[in-house]
Amino acid sequence: MIRVFLLDDHEVVRRGLADLLQSGGDIEVVGESGSAQEAARLIPALRPDVAILDARLPDGNGIDVCRDVRAIDSSIRGLILTSYEDDEALFAAIMAGAAGYVLKQIRGTDLVDAVRRVAAGQSLLDPAITTRVLERIRNGVEQPRELRSLTEQERRILEYVAEGLTNREIAARMFLAEKTVKNYMSSVLAKLGLERRTQAAVLATRLLGKNP
C-alpha cells in the first residue's frame, strides 16, 4: 500500500481526494490536515510515502512544509498541488525538494497516477523547468563581488527588497513564511555588513540595477 498524507485547508477537498485515492485499492490515506504548521508536525511522525501539499494555506504553504519535512525525513516525497501556474512557485518547489508540482485542474485518474509515480521514486517536474532553475542557480555565481556571499534565496530576497516589496509581500511571492523572510533578511544584512533594510535596498539597486 502507498501511504499518503493530505494537506489542504478545505475539508471537502480533502474528503474528495481521500475517496479518489483510496478507490484504487493500492493507496491508503494515513493522515490529513488543513494547517501547514500542524502538517509539518504530523507528517514526519506518520511517515507517509507521499505528502500531497496545497501550495497556499491560511497559516503558511505546502512548499515550506515540504522543505521542513524533507529536512527531517528525505524519504517522504512531496507532491505540490496548486491552483496557480507560477514560475516562482515552481522554483520554490524544486528548491524545497518536491518530487512533483501539479495543478488542481488535473483529472482524478491522472492524480492517482501521479501519486503512484512519485511513490515509485519518479519526478513529475518538467525537465525544461528544472533546467531553468539550475540555470538560475548557476547564473547566481556571476554576480557583483559584494553579493557573492549570499545564497540564491538571500539574493532573490535582496532583489525583492530593491523593488520595494515588504517582508509579507516577499513571503507571498516566494512561498515562504514571513518569519523565514525576516531571518533571511537578518542574514543578508549581516553578510553585507549593513544595519538597516534601506541600506540593503540602496546597495541592491546600485549593484543589480533594480528600480523600486
Side-chain angles (χ1 to χ4, degrees), residues 13 16-24 26-27 52 79 81 102-117 124:
V13 173
L17 285 173
D19 290 345
L20 171 69
L21 294 170
Q22 294 181 147
S23 64
D26 61 337
I27 298 173
I52 298 178
L79 182 60
L81 190 61
V102 295
L103 296 176
K104 286 186 176 179
Q105 293 90 322
I106 190 172
R107 290 174 53 191
T109 53
D110 291 338
L111 179 61
V112 173
D113 181 58
V115 169
R116 289 172 179 149
R117 288 170 59 190
L124 296 185

Side-chain angles (χ1 to χ4, degrees), residues 96-181:
Y101 182 100
V102 295
L103 296 176
K104 286 186 176 179
Q105 293 90 322
I106 190 172
R107 290 174 53 191
T109 53
D110 291 338
L111 179 61
V112 173
D113 181 58
V115 169
R116 289 172 179 149
R117 288 170 59 190
V118 165
Q122 297 179 38
S123 172
L124 296 185
L125 295 166
D126 185 332
I129 293 168
T130 305
T131 300
R132 270 209 317 273
V133 169
L134 294 175
E135 195 64 35
R136 284 178 65 170
I137 294 170
R138 255 184 244 111
N139 289 341
V141 178
E142 301 300 324
Q143 56 185 310
R145 177 178 52 80
E146 294 93 332
L147 304 184
R148 287 179 189 164
S149 64
L150 303 184
T151 65
E152 174 69 15
Q153 288 283 70
E154 289 168 347
R155 179 187 162 97
R156 290 173 63 228
I157 285 174
L158 184 60
E159 289 177 354
Y160 286 136
V161 168
E163 291 174 12
L165 272 64
T166 65
N167 282 350
R168 177 168 294 181
E169 290 169 335
I170 294 171
R173 190 79 65 88
M174 295 181 67
F175 289 83
L176 296 171
E178 190 174 350
K179 182 179 178 183
T180 302
V181 173

Side-chain angles (χ1 to χ4, degrees), residues 189-207:
L189 293 176
K191 286 182 178 181
L192 296 178
L194 303 174
E195 296 179 359
R196 294 187 298 278
R197 181 191 185 92
T198 50
Q199 293 174 313
V202 170
L203 177 65
T205 302
R206 177 169 63 82
L207 296 177

Side-chain angles (χ1 to χ4, degrees), residues 2-91:
I2 299 170
R3 294 164 52 82
V4 171
F5 185 95
L6 300 175
L7 170 60
D8 193 289
D9 58 322
H10 295 101
E11 183 183 1
V12 67
V13 173
R14 297 198 305 272
R15 293 272 63 79
L17 285 173
D19 290 345
L20 171 69
L21 294 170
Q22 294 181 147
S23 64
D26 61 337
I27 298 173
E28 177 189 9
V29 175
V30 296
E32 63 176 68
S33 177
S35 157
Q37 293 183 15
E38 182 183 53
R41 293 194 305 269
L42 289 176
I43 294 172
L46 293 170
R47 301 195 66 195
D49 299 301
V50 179
I52 298 178
L53 308 167
D54 190 2
R56 296 174 189 260
L57 296 151
D59 66 335
N61 63 77
I63 294 173
D64 268 355
V65 173
C66 180
R67 181 185 298 108
D68 293 345
V69 165
R70 286 183 57 78
I72 298 169
D73 187 345
S74 61
S75 71
I76 298 172
R77 312 276 288 172
L79 182 60
I80 307 299
L81 190 61
T82 178
S83 303
Y84 310 93
E85 193 165 11
D86 180 333
D87 272 2
E88 286 297 328
L90 278 168
F91 178 87

